Amino acid sequence: MRIRVVHETIYTYEQPARGLVQVLRLTPRDHDGQYVRTWRIDTTVDGRLTAREDGFGNIVHWFTPDEAADALTIRVTGEVDTDDTHGVVRGTVERLPDQFYLRDTDLCAASPDLHAFAERVAAEGDGAVLDLLHRLMGAVHGAVVHEPGPASNAVPAGKAFAAGSGVCQDLAHVFIAAARHIGVPARYVAGYRARDDGQADVEAPHGWVEALVPNLGWVAFDPCYDVGPADNYIRVATGLDYLGAAPIRGSRTGGGTETLDVKLRVEQGRASAQS
């Protein structure tokens, strides 16, 4: 499949903002089942866009405007060819040991109730990790209702589990917290998902999970939709939780009240045959 993305993040400030720094994890990498044909980041304000790599192996751009600005739009356009790998993730850049992904974070902090939930799911099967993770995905999907909304609304996993609802990042954090509690390394994945109904306009970038399966490697799970990510997903960045893989994080001096708007189109197409 060929997936086309147009992603605009539009900031307006009450007054010109100074000392603006934006950290962008908006650029996917090639791996098995994902080939980046074209990808470009543009900004409406002149400045320096510097590329580097973070500790997780993500491509990161740092953007600093040349002067104070009362508005800024960051626009991403690109095309990616994808194949369905049945959720198995191979050919990725791995900078950290697998056991690092057992580490807790504030957003993936589990409550006693979430611990008990994870233990119940683990006890239901014969101990095979892949089957356990599929059960966990379905259990999280059933326990936490997805409510579309911005990633900034994400809350710690224990709180989202208790509420029984949350944005896609919350469902991912609940899965991660449960998986880590039963000894399975798991990580957050940020990227794009083309809708199954062909509607190109979507509310926001998507978030899902990868967990480590012995003798198979990293495997992707999307508890938001209770599916294994297929060729309608573009994998962009990974982290211990959403904050480590967020598309844009930044800081500024002054500017007063900030207004944020996101416009995103993720369009499915048909990849041309390769000779």
Side-chain angles (χ1 to χ4, degrees):
M1 182 182 295
R2 179 161 298 163
I3 302 177
R4 300 178 180 89
V5 173
V6 179
H7 179 191
E8 291 186 335
T9 306
I10 304 158
Y11 297 92
T12 55
Y13 307 105
E14 187 178 16
Q15 304 164 0
R18 306 180 308 278
L20 189 64
V21 178
Q22 298 282 40
V23 182
L24 315 177
R25 290 177 175 83
L26 286 167
T27 304
R29 305 188 81 140
D30 293 348
H31 58 78
D32 292 3
Q34 177 170 296
Y35 169 68
V36 182
R37 292 175 53 84
T38 62
W39 203 266
R40 181 181 175 90
I41 299 174
D42 293 295
T43 62
T44 54
V45 176
D46 290 338
R48 177 176 296 182
L49 191 65
T50 306
R52 60 188 71 177
E53 182 184 288
D54 69 10
F56 295 95
N58 303 315
I59 297 174
V60 182
H61 289 83
W62 290 70
F63 175 68
T64 53
D66 290 338
E67 57 188 25
D70 57 11
L72 168 66
T73 296
I74 299 169
R75 190 172 196 265
V76 173
T77 55
E79 287 189 351
V80 177
D81 285 347
T82 60
D83 293 312
D84 187 359
T85 61
H86 305 286
V88 178
V89 181
R90 294 197 175 104
T92 55
V93 174
E94 300 293 345
R95 302 297 188 209
L96 298 166
D98 295 338
Q99 297 305 302
F100 178 83
Y101 294 99
L102 288 171
R103 182 175 298 185
D104 287 334
T105 69
D106 289 343
L107 282 174
C108 293
S111 61
D113 286 345
L114 183 48
H115 285 166
F117 169 80
E119 291 163 8
R120 286 196 302 272
V121 173
E124 290 170 356
D126 61 4
V129 174
L130 183 60
D131 291 342
L132 184 161
L133 292 169
H134 278 289
R135 291 198 309 275
L136 179 60
M137 176 172 67
V140 172
H141 178 77
V144 185
V145 176
H146 174 230
E147 295 183 346
S152 58
N153 289 346
V155 299
K159 185 174 181 179
F161 182 74
S165 64
V167 297
C168 67
Q169 289 79 12
D170 294 324
L171 276 80
H173 292 149
V174 170
F175 183 110
I176 291 168
R180 289 175 182 165
H181 177 65
I182 54 180
V184 179
R187 62 193 180 191
Y188 184 90
V189 186
Y192 300 101
R193 175 185 178 271
R195 290 172 48 147
D196 297 327
D197 61 6
Q199 172 65 42
D201 292 319
V202 297
E203 185 175 60
H206 193 45
W208 61 98
V209 175
E210 290 171 1
L212 191 66
V213 178
N215 303 315
L216 188 58
W218 290 100
V219 179
F221 300 89
D222 187 351
C224 184
Y225 296 100
D226 193 19
V227 297
D231 56 354
N232 60 322
Y233 286 67
I234 297 176
R235 180 185 190 270
V236 176
T238 62
L240 286 170
D241 58 23
Y242 168 76
L243 293 180
I248 302 178
R249 296 185 69 186
S251 63
R252 61 187 170 89
T253 302
T257 303
E258 174 186 282
T259 302
L260 171 65
D261 187 26
V262 175
K263 297 179 180 179
L264 176 59
R265 288 181 61 83
V266 184
E267 184 178 12
Q268 292 188 34
R270 188 181 296 273
S272 59
Q274 301 293 316
S275 59

